[in-house]
Amino acid sequence: MIERRTIPAVETLLQYPQSTELVLLYGRPLVLDCIRSVLADIREHPNDDKAVPENEAILQLVVQRLETWLRPTLIPVINATGVILHTNLGRAPMSQAALQALSQASTSYCTLEYNLKHGGRGTRSEHVDSLLTRLTGAESALVVNNNAAAVLLVLSALANRKKVVISRTQLVEIGGGFRVPDVMAQSGAKLVEVGTTNRVHLSDYEAALQDSAALVVRAHHSNFKIIGFTSEPPLVELAALAHQHGIPVLDDLGSGALLDTARFGLAHEPMVQESVQAGVDVICFSGDKLLGGPQAGIIVGRKDLMIRIKKHPLGRAMRADKLCLAALSATILHYLKNEAESQIPVWQMISMTSAELQRRAQDWVEALQVGEVIGGLSTVGGGSLPEETFPTSLLALAVPQPNRFLAKLRNLHIPIIGRIENERVVFDPRTVFPEQDPVLLAGIRKAMTGTI
Ligand SMILES: *Cc1c(COP(=O)(O)O)cnc(C)c1O
C-alpha cells in the first residue's frame, strides 16, 4: 500500500523561500496564522481522494489567503448610476476644502477643545455653531453623529415621558432602520397621532394640543410621496398654533437643503432657512445629504431649548469627532462664501447643464468607439426629493449579458457601478467626476474585451 502524504509541519513550510518573502512583507505572526489556517482547512475539509496537496501548492493557498485577508473592503468606486446621494455608495462626496480640513485636523494636534486666547479649555461645538447660526438664522446650533442621533437626542431632552404630537402622514420609515415611531418610543416620548394616512388638518393638531403635549413634531417625507387626496397644513401655521399653546415644534428635515433645488429644474426641497423663518423651534438635518458634507446630524434652534438639548447626557455619546467638525466647517464655509455650487460636488452635479452632460457622454462614445448617447434620468436620492428625476445624457452599451457585464465592472481594481436600462448597460456622466474618465473608459474596455 502506498503511504499517504501527511500534512506538513508549519516549520517545514516556513523553510521555503516564498515563506521568507511573505514574512518580510507581512510579518511573522500573520504568516504563521495564515499557514495554520490553511493547514486546518486541509485537515478539516479533505478533498475527495483525501490527498494532501504538495507543499508548493499549500504555499500558493497561503499567498491567496493572505491577499484576501489584507485586501481592504472599503474602497473607492466610480458611481455611474446617476444617483447623486447614493446611500450605499457613501452619500455625498466631499469638497477638496473639506478633505484638506479633515486631513489637517487628523494628522496634527488641533484646537478641538482648546481656547487659544486663554490657553485653556475650549468647546468643540464652537467651531461650527457660529457658522451654522449665521447661515441659517437660528439662535444656536449643535452637531452630533448623524441625523437619527439628532432626532433621538432632541426627543429625549425635550419630551421624555411626555406627549409628542405627530401626524399619521409623517410616521415614516427612512430606511436603514430609522422609523419615526420607533425613535420616539426609544426616547421615552409618548406618541400622540393625529390626522389620517393621507390628510391632516390644523384642527386635528388643535384638538390634540388641548391635552398637555411637550412637543409637536413635523417629519419630512424624504423618500416617498403621498399623491392624490392629500393635505398637511403649512409649517408656519402649525408653528403659530403650537406657540399659542406654548408648545415648541421640532422639524426633522432629513436632507436639509441650504440652496433652493427648484433653481435647477427640480421640485423644491424644504430648506433649513425656511423652517427657521416659519418659526420652528428646533430643526434637525443630515450633514451628508444635500448639504454635501461629512456624516453628521445638525440641530439648530431656539437658545433656551438648545441649552437643554446640549446638557442631555446622551449628547456626550453622540458627539461629533474632530474629523467631522473640520470637514463640516469647511463645507459650511462654501455656503457662506456663496460658492457651494462650484465647490461642493453634490451641487456641481445638480447644476450640471444638459449641454455639459451631452458632451461628456459623447466624449465617452468617441473614446470607446462603441455604444451611443441616449437621453435618460438622474436622481438626487438619499431621502431627498422622492420620485424626482432630472434629464441627463447616458452612454448606452448593448452587450450580450448585461448583468454579467455589470458584475465584471464591479470586479475591477476600481469598481465601476453602472445600471441596466431596457437591456442595455448605461452610464450617467452626472455622477462620474471628470478626472475619473480615463479609469472609467479603461474599465469598460477591459470588460468588453474580456480581459477580466
Ligand atoms: C435621512 C433622514 C434621517 C436619518 O438621517 P441620518 O443622517 O442618515 O441618520 C432622519 N430623518 C429624515 C426625515 C431623513 O430624511
Side-chain angles (χ1 to χ4, degrees):
M1 192 179 137
I2 306 163
E3 202 162 312
R4 283 198 177 277
R5 225 178 95 73
T6 53
I7 291 178
V10 175
E11 277 308 319
T12 313
L13 292 171
L14 274 174
Q15 302 304 317
Y16 281 74
Q18 289 114 298
S19 297
T20 316
E21 208 172 298
L22 288 177
V23 167
L24 272 174
L25 277 172
Y26 305 121
R28 193 178 157 89
L30 190 66
V31 175
L32 267 179
D33 258 9
C34 193
I35 293 177
R36 287 199 185 109
S37 139
V38 168
L39 293 181
D41 271 5
I42 294 172
R43 195 174 303 118
E44 285 157 30
H45 311 285
N47 49 20
D48 290 342
D49 56 2
K50 303 229 165 18
V52 172
E54 295 298 327
N55 289 354
E56 287 78 5
I58 295 178
L59 283 169
Q60 208 43 50
L61 292 174
V62 170
V63 170
Q64 281 167 13
R65 186 161 301 188
L66 272 171
E67 275 169 10
T68 319
W69 279 6
L70 297 173
R71 190 179 304 138
T73 53
L74 183 56
I75 55 171
V77 299
I78 295 180
N79 173 13
T81 64
V83 182
I84 296 177
L85 296 169
H86 198 304
T87 296
N88 301 141
L89 302 182
R91 285 196 187 152
M94 290 194 296
S95 75
Q96 288 303 315
L99 166 70
Q100 217 166 52
L102 183 154
S103 136
Q104 280 168 3
S106 61
T107 49
S108 146
Y109 293 105
C110 62
T111 52
L112 180 62
E113 288 184 358
Y114 191 78
N115 184 316
L116 286 173
K117 209 155 133 197
H118 306 118
R121 193 186 157 84
T123 57
R124 71 171 58 212
S125 64
E126 74 196 21
H127 306 292
V128 188
D129 293 6
S130 57
L131 298 178
L132 275 169
T133 49
R134 182 158 301 125
L135 186 62
T136 62
E139 290 174 7
S140 174
L142 175 69
V143 179
V144 293
N145 240 317
N146 51 38
N147 190 35
V151 174
L152 179 61
L153 177 62
V154 173
L155 289 170
S156 306
L158 302 184
N160 183 248
R161 287 193 239 171
K162 296 188 191 130
K163 289 182 187 152
V164 170
V165 178
I166 185 166
S167 165
R168 291 191 174 92
T169 58
Q170 295 163 14
L171 290 175
V172 299
E173 173 175 324
I174 305 301
F178 185 92
R179 290 174 149 193
V180 170
D182 295 349
V183 176
M184 290 205 175
Q186 187 61 42
S187 72
K190 291 179 209 147
L191 187 61
V192 178
E193 300 176 23
V194 298
T196 62
T197 305
N198 56 326
R199 284 166 76 84
V200 63
H201 306 287
L202 215 50
S203 54
D204 296 324
Y205 284 101
E206 173 125 50
L209 290 179
Q210 305 305 323
D211 196 16
S212 71
L215 198 63
V216 173
V217 175
R218 203 275 299 242
H220 182 37
H221 296 160
S222 286
N223 54 3
F224 76 106
K225 222 170 175 169
I226 311 185
I227 56 167
F229 188 54
T230 65
S231 96
E232 286 181 347
L235 196 53
V236 60
E237 288 177 22
L238 179 60
L241 174 75
H243 293 164
Q244 277 168 25
H245 292 81
I247 298 168
V249 178
L250 161 66
D251 190 12
D252 174 13
L253 264 183
S255 204
L258 291 163
L259 293 183
D260 186 0
T261 48
R263 267 179 38 213
F264 308 97
L266 289 163
H268 176 73
E269 172 77 7
M271 293 168 69
V272 181
Q273 299 93 321
E274 290 165 355
S275 291
V276 174
Q277 272 153 30
V280 170
D281 306 271
V282 180
I283 302 156
C284 298
F285 52 102
S286 291
D288 55 353
K289 292 185 179 174
L290 275 178
L291 193 124
Q295 176 185 306
I298 298 165
I299 310 170
V300 298
R302 235 171 69 193
K303 198 159 206 155
D304 57 326
L305 300 174
M306 291 300 293
I307 289 173
R308 282 166 62 195
I309 293 166
K310 287 181 183 187
K311 277 205 307 224
H312 193 277
L314 260 185
R316 174 62 179 80
M318 299 170 172
R319 74 180 184 187
D321 76 310
K322 60 184 176 183
L323 306 189
C324 164
L325 292 172
L328 190 60
S329 314
T331 309
I332 293 167
L333 273 178
H334 291 311
Y335 289 95
L336 279 172
K337 289 156 70 182
N338 202 25
E339 59 180 27
E341 234 175 280
S342 64
Q343 298 300 317
I344 299 178
V346 167
W347 290 103
Q348 287 170 342
M349 291 171 184
I350 289 177
S351 62
M352 222 172 263
T353 64
S354 31
E356 214 173 321
L357 291 159
Q358 164 86 27
R359 186 185 48 74
R360 293 272 310 281
Q362 195 58 48
D363 285 352
W364 289 354
V365 169
E366 274 160 31
L368 290 169
Q369 296 285 308
V370 283
E372 62 168 322
V373 178
I374 59 168
L377 296 168
S378 315
T379 50
V380 176
S384 321
L385 299 163
E387 302 293 304
E388 192 65 23
T389 53
F390 48 160
T392 187
S393 295
L394 304 170
L395 157 65
L397 290 181
V399 292
Q401 293 169 294
N403 275 310
R404 252 203 70 185
F405 193 79
L406 284 186
K408 277 186 181 180
L409 292 171
R410 290 196 303 271
N411 207 26
L412 289 162
H413 176 60
I414 298 180
I416 298 167
I417 317 294
R419 61 189 169 88
I420 296 173
E421 209 173 282
N422 297 327
E423 326 247 311
R424 283 197 285 185
V425 177
V426 296
F427 304 86
D428 189 336
R430 193 187 290 276
T431 48
V432 177
F433 293 94
E435 60 271 23
Q436 292 177 325
D437 278 3
V439 181
L440 174 90
L441 295 171
I444 295 175
R445 276 192 205 106
K446 237 177 170 175
M448 299 209 55
T449 53
T451 52
I452 43 169

